[in-house]
Amino acid sequence: MANSAVMIGSRIECEGARGTVKWIGEIPTTQGQWYGIDWDDAARGRHNGSHNGVKYFETRFPTSGSFVRPTKVSTGISLEAAVRGRYQGDTAVELQVTEQLQRTIKARFVEVVGMDQVAEKQGRLEELDTVILTGSMVWGTDECDLQIILPKLQHLDISNSLLSSWSSVGCITRQLPCLRLLNISGNLLDVPKCPNDLQESVGHITHLVLNNMMVYTWQDFLTCSSMFPKLSRLQVAFNNLKALGPIPAGLFDTLEELDIGVNPIASWEEVNHLGTIPRLRSLNANGCQLRMIKFPSTSTTGKTTLFPSLKHLMIVNNPLETWEATGELNKLASLEELVISYDGNAYPYFHEFTFARIANLKVLNRTRLTPKEKRDCELFYLKSFGNEYYSSGGNEDGATDALSEDFTHKHPGYAQLVKDLGPPMDETSYNTQKRQKLKNLKIELKIITPDHPEREEYVKTFLPSIKVAKVKMMLKRQLKINPALPMRLSYSCCKGGKVFEVVMDNDMQEMAYYSIQAGDTLLVRW
């Protein structure tokens, strides 16, 4: 495409920057022709299309416009020329790989063994199934028959090029009947007024990549998607989308994977619009601005009718309240894989609890659990919040009808786990019973020092299982007796109206060995 073919709307490149020709003509007080360019990068220009008070053309940004001489711009190359230059008849491939290896291993000299075989294979264009021409400034195709040149081509990347219209895209794709993946990201394409007219040219594409389309709205993407009746994968990341909006019935009936990542979408209500896509099984919403997840018209423990087929969800790098988010995600009927970021300090057991809180979850942050490991996570979750469960109305019979609304909101799947695995141990009740049992086991004794009548008698309790040696140690500390002094213990009891004194002469025996009972008197001598 020569410079003489430049017209209003043509895409051009100048010194590595891309722009759109908005005006062609002469400027007073100057000689020769000028192009009025609206640059993709606002920092590349100087003004808003005005010069000396005269408005020559409109710009997208206040400083994205400038005037350029025709000799300074390039209108790019055809797809055929780009393919031949990249894959045939030069050493570009070998040089590119060699330079990359040099940077990676920090070596001045690198010899790539077998590069000649690679270049030979790539040189056979009729065998190519993948062509990557990102940044190659392709403007479209000429009169060559691409089906003859690239008969087996399935994947084509012509992102960040000089394509200016969907008609140019259609001229390429209609000649490549085997093509399935098309990446035209970073191209400033006019939205077609009659998209159905292009369906025959592009309708065989199943994977479409439209990242960073610069000016497209969600409605523009819906309009363009109507040209692709067989679309199964769509990527629309990096498009500054803040709102999505409803999807027309039947538009995405074949769509299975969708990437809306790195768009400033703050409300989950916008994401819910995607829930009507019947076959959507994978959704990438990484790097958005989502703060909460909420499904409409759904009870705390019910399942949502949205996203009926969604199995894989990615929501990394969102300012989410992760605890509430995982509880809400349990409402997705088919969710099995989740990728999510979280604060490990705030939620030290987030990994285990999330596996428990989302019933069908099998893989979390690339970690897959066996059924036994998942069951262990569920039991751990039940145990960890057992006290809160009982204090909120739960009981050991497993009945959850009386659970408080607050507890059910915080732990929406807890009641179902109780039904499936049984209630957790009531540790509060257990500890109370244990303390009561210990209290009942303890024996209360009166402590007397016969050889030191000036010391007051007092009462102390002991476990029957405590050994005599330990009792002596305790008494020496309490009575403040020199630990080196020998101590003798005995106890007196009244049986049948008679008083008996039993000597406790074996330090290794337990108190119970001597049949001592509550109410007896312990005699301490030293």
Side-chain angles (χ1 to χ4, degrees), residues 423-438:
M425 177 184 291
D426 187 351
E427 294 187 355
T428 303
S429 175
Y430 173 76
N431 291 335
T432 300
Q433 293 174 9
K434 184 177 179 181
R435 286 193 297 269
Q436 185 63 41
K437 186 176 181 181
L438 289 174

Side-chain angles (χ1 to χ4, degrees), residues 278-338:
R279 298 178 60 182
L280 186 66
R281 61 179 179 83
S282 178
L283 176 62
N284 183 340
N286 289 338
C288 297
Q289 297 177 11
L290 299 167
R291 296 187 176 278
M292 64 177 296
I293 296 176
K294 182 68 176 178
F295 297 106
S297 304
T298 306
S299 66
T300 302
T301 58
K303 296 293 183 181
T304 178
T305 58
L306 298 177
F307 300 99
S309 303
L310 190 66
K311 293 183 179 294
H312 186 193
L313 177 63
M314 292 170 279
I315 46 177
V316 171
N317 295 330
N318 282 284
L320 284 168
E321 170 45 62
T322 50
W323 180 260
E324 292 188 0
T326 55
E328 194 72 7
L329 289 175
N330 188 46
K331 296 179 180 179
L332 292 172
S334 303
L335 186 62
E336 295 182 355
E337 300 184 27
L338 175 65

Side-chain angles (χ1 to χ4, degrees), residues 342-357:
Y342 63 93
D343 184 352
N345 294 323
Y347 302 103
Y349 296 110
F350 179 83
H351 190 270
E352 292 84 354
F353 290 164
T354 300
F355 269 114
R357 286 165 61 81

Side-chain angles (χ1 to χ4, degrees), residues 225-245:
S225 296
S226 66
M227 296 184 287
F228 301 87
K230 299 180 181 179
L231 197 63
S232 63
R233 298 180 65 184
L234 175 63
Q235 294 174 243
V236 291
F238 299 95
N239 279 296
N240 198 35
L241 297 175
K242 297 180 180 179
L244 299 183

Side-chain angles (χ1 to χ4, degrees), residues 137-151:
M137 303 305 165
V138 172
W139 58 263
T141 182
D142 51 24
E143 300 302 323
C144 294
D145 191 340
L146 292 177
Q147 187 171 358
I148 295 177
I149 300 173
L150 300 164

Side-chain angles (χ1 to χ4, degrees), residues 179-378:
L179 192 65
R180 295 297 176 264
L181 183 154
L182 176 64
N183 186 351
I184 49 176
S185 302
N187 282 289
L188 193 59
L189 305 177
D190 290 335
V191 179
K193 295 181 179 179
C194 300
N196 290 338
D197 294 345
L198 290 169
Q199 190 174 114
E200 186 176 353
S201 298
V202 301
H204 53 289
I205 303 299
T206 60
H207 183 178
L208 182 63
V209 187
L210 298 176
N211 297 332
N212 188 28
M213 297 300 285
M214 292 181 275
V215 297
Y216 273 25
T217 65
W218 178 246
Q219 184 57 52
D220 293 334
F221 286 115
L222 295 182
T223 300
C224 294
S225 296
S226 66
M227 296 184 287
F228 301 87
K230 299 180 181 179
L231 197 63
S232 63
R233 298 180 65 184
L234 175 63
Q235 294 174 243
V236 291
F238 299 95
N239 279 296
N240 198 35
L241 297 175
K242 297 180 180 179
L244 299 183
I247 296 173
L251 178 61
F252 285 142
D253 281 357
T254 60
L255 192 66
E256 297 182 0
E257 300 182 31
L258 177 60
D259 181 0
I260 58 169
V262 200
N263 283 297
I265 303 170
S267 173
W268 187 261
E269 292 181 3
E270 300 297 331
V271 179
N272 279 335
H273 288 300
L274 309 175
T276 60
I277 303 176
R279 298 178 60 182
L280 186 66
R281 61 179 179 83
S282 178
L283 176 62
N284 183 340
N286 289 338
C288 297
Q289 297 177 11
L290 299 167
R291 296 187 176 278
M292 64 177 296
I293 296 176
K294 182 68 176 178
F295 297 106
S297 304
T298 306
S299 66
T300 302
T301 58
K303 296 293 183 181
T304 178
T305 58
L306 298 177
F307 300 99
S309 303
L310 190 66
K311 293 183 179 294
H312 186 193
L313 177 63
M314 292 170 279
I315 46 177
V316 171
N317 295 330
N318 282 284
L320 284 168
E321 170 45 62
T322 50
W323 180 260
E324 292 188 0
T326 55
E328 194 72 7
L329 289 175
N330 188 46
K331 296 179 180 179
L332 292 172
S334 303
L335 186 62
E336 295 182 355
E337 300 184 27
L338 175 65
V339 182
I340 185 173
S341 49
Y342 63 93
D343 184 352
N345 294 323
Y347 302 103
Y349 296 110
F350 179 83
H351 190 270
E352 292 84 354
F353 290 164
T354 300
F355 269 114
R357 286 165 61 81
I358 303 178
N360 296 324
L361 194 65
K362 298 179 180 178
V363 182
L364 175 62
N365 292 347
R366 318 299 182 189
T367 299
R368 180 180 292 274
L369 292 194
T370 64
K372 181 183 182 303
E373 290 171 332
K374 181 172 175 65
R375 183 175 179 275
D376 289 343
C377 288
E378 293 169 343

Side-chain angles (χ1 to χ4, degrees), residues 455 458 472-483 485 487 526:
R455 291 179 178 265
Y458 64 97
K472 289 182 176 180
M473 291 173 57
M474 294 169 60
L475 291 172
K476 285 181 179 180
R477 286 197 299 268
Q478 194 162 16
L479 296 172
K480 298 180 180 180
I481 300 172
N482 186 345
L485 293 177
M487 177 178 282
W526 65 89

